[in-house]
């Protein structure tokens, strides 16, 4: 499938020591206290070159106390997003395969001490049904999520991935990329996971502050801070060159977390030869069976969250940013402009949740709109409100444009060459196969507008692919 060379360096690391130095990070934060307007503006100006920021420069933005500069920060974030990513937005659906979990993370409803939770690991039939429902919505990308439990061994995970790839429902239904969010494993197991043709391996550190980490992880394998901290080193050692990291905001000081996460990015770039493909931004949401989640110790409000996303966009302009499933529609819209490049649509966070939602679709009491708006509605809103092009593209990963190869391409701004055309082609496929009448009309108008902005040669090329798609061919990509 992949034609590219192996881009990874074999990482050299000592899992007994940490590359997160609390004192060093705090010193950087303290040294940038109360920056002047000129200092902040100088960092913003540098960020506009799309070369990223150092930890020190990032700290200046984090420590900014001049509210009037927020708008300037947001403007630079929008500019970078627009230059590098354009108006594409990649869509995916999370699929919770299992909520069995032997750990006890005090912020999570799946924690082993939550005896009220109904535990469920989807069997093959149930899993197939979930995937069919997602395919009928038009999804091509799935994020598969698993608790950490003996039931969710690497073999079970790989079996479930094979099942998901196997489902082909209706006309043109198929899953073309499965990203995986599961507990970190040994290098050996990561090799097995890689063999299942996964897209991105995702694992969030939750908090980079060791003392806090140890306070909130009460039992099970996840207790070990360093074991998790080096998860991506092991994944890369096993040849998984496409990894996603993240912080669970609300556990500790967001300034520390963001700098530490950037230190993690730098560590992976230097030691493994490739930085993370994506960064995710979950914020603690109230979860049944978790007291901490009701009152997060360092709650991040909407304004602060917007700054976090914008500053990350400036600091690592080429890394994909993923927005959590649970953000409201209004927040999604703002964060999209500020730099988020992937969002989930039509999401459920319970194993079997899509099937359940279908069964309950006439029971208004139990089915709240908002986050659970059907995919078509979200797409209609993306197209008409923010003129975004929803993309179902999975081309890069299947052409072997991953790891340092992908980042190299992005850096050369080849996104216009592959991503924008592929977004339009896969969007057309969605419009033909799954969209409502009004979404199809609005979507096709947007496609025409995008074509008129391309060079004539490229537009001609894309039109040929669109015509083939209209003729019933599927899965065309450059
Ligand atoms: N068990 C695996 C692990 O812990 O890495 C993967 C599944 S876990 C459900 C996926 C992510 O959900 C966690 O990494 C955490 O960041 C997030 N999460 C847990 N509790 C949450 C909450 N109350 N609100 C928002 N996100 C939460
Ligand atoms: Fe289990 Fe992951 Fe939830 Fe922790 S965050 S309780 S490991 S599912």
């Amino acid at each position: 499938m992949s034609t590219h060379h192996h881009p990874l360096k074999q990482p050299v690391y000592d899992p007994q020591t940490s590359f997160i130095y609390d004192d060093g990070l705090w010193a950087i934060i303290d040294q940038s206290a109360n920056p002047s307007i000129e200092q902040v503006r100088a960092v913003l100006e540098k960020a506009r070159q799309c070369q990223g920021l150092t930890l020190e420069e990032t700290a200046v933005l984090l420590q900014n106390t001049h509210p009037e500069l927020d708008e300037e920060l947001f403007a630079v974030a929008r500019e970078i997003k627009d230059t590098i990513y354009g108006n594409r937005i990649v869509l995916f659906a999370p699929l919770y395969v299992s909520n069995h979990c032997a750990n006890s993370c005090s912020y999570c409803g799946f924690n082993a001490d939550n005896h009220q939770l109904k535990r469920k690991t989807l069997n093959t039939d149930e899993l197939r049904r979930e995937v069919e429902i997602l395919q009928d919505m038009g999804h091509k990308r799935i994020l598969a999520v698993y608790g950490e439990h003996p039931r969710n061994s690497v073999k079970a995970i790989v079996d479930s991935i094979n099942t998901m790839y196997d489902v082909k429902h209706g006309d043109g239904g198929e899953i073309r990329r499965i990203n995986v969010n599961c507990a970190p494993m040994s290098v050996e197991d990561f090799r097995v996971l890689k063999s299942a043709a996964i897209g991105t391996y995702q694992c969030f550190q939750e908090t980079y502050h060791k003392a806090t980490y140890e306070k909130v992880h009460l039992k099970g394998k996840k207790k070990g801070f360093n074991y998790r901290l080096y998860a991506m080193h092991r994944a890369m050692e096993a040849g998984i060159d496409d990894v996603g990291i993240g912080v669970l905001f609300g556990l500790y000081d967001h300034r520390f977390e963001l700098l530490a996460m950037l230190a993690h990015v730098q560590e992976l770039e230097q030691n493994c030869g490739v930085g993370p493909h994506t960064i995710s931004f979950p914020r603690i949401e109230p979860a049944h069976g978790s007291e901490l989640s009701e009152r997060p110790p360092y709650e991040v409000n909407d304004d602060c969250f917007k700054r976090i996303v914008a500053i990350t966009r400036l600091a690592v302009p080429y890394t994909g940013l993923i927005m959590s499933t649970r953000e409201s529609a209004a927040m999604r819209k703002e964060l999209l402009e500020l730099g988020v490049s992937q969002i989930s649509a039509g999401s459920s966070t319970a194993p079997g949740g899509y099937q359940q939602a279908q069964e309950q679709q006439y029971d208004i009491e139990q089915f709240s709109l908002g986050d659970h708006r059907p995919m078509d509605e979200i797409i209609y809103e993306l197209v008409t409100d923010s003129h975004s092009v929803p993309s179902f593209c999975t081309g890069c990963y299947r052409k072997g444009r991953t790891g340092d190869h992908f980042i190299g391409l992005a850096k050369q701004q080849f996104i216009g060459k592959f991503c924008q055309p592929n977004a339009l082609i896969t969007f057309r496929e969605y419009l033909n196969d799954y969209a409502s009448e009004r979404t199809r009309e609005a979507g096709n108008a947007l496609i025409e507008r995008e074509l008129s902005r391309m060079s004539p040669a490229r537009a001609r090329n894309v039109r040929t692919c669109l015509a083939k798609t209209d003729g019933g061919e599927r899965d065309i990509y450059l």
Side-chain angles (χ1 to χ4, degrees), residues 196-260:
I198 63 163
T200 309
Y201 170 65
Q202 264 189 10
C203 178
F204 310 148
Q205 187 62 28
E206 322 295 9
T207 172
Y208 285 93
H209 189 246
K210 190 164 186 239
T212 302
Y213 187 97
E214 287 171 350
K215 239 188 316 193
V216 298
H217 296 111
L218 306 173
K219 96 156 65 130
K221 275 177 86 177
K222 195 163 165 182
K223 273 179 74 159
F225 177 82
N226 275 26
Y227 186 70
R228 198 164 179 97
L229 190 63
Y230 284 101
M232 296 319 186
H233 289 68
R234 293 196 300 280
M236 293 210 183
E237 203 173 327
I240 298 177
D241 60 4
D242 202 331
V243 303
I245 63 172
V247 162
L248 180 60
F249 284 98
L251 293 174
Y252 189 58
D253 190 300
H254 71 274
R255 298 168 303 175
F256 179 92
E257 300 286 26
L258 196 54
L259 283 197

Side-chain angles (χ1 to χ4, degrees), residues 94-140:
L95 201 171
Y96 282 64
V97 181
S98 169
N99 63 12
H100 276 100
C101 193
N103 293 338
S104 201
C105 310
S106 42
Y107 43 81
C108 181
F110 295 174
N111 76 76
D113 296 316
N114 181 6
H115 300 297
Q116 275 147 20
L117 182 76
K118 218 176 124 203
R119 302 284 165 175
K120 180 98 202 144
T121 297
L122 297 180
N123 65 32
T124 308
D125 287 342
E126 291 162 335
L127 186 56
R128 291 188 69 92
R129 188 68 204 120
E130 289 291 276
V131 177
E132 286 171 3
I133 293 170
L134 292 175
Q135 287 181 356
D136 288 349
M137 293 181 199
H139 278 292
K140 300 289 186 247

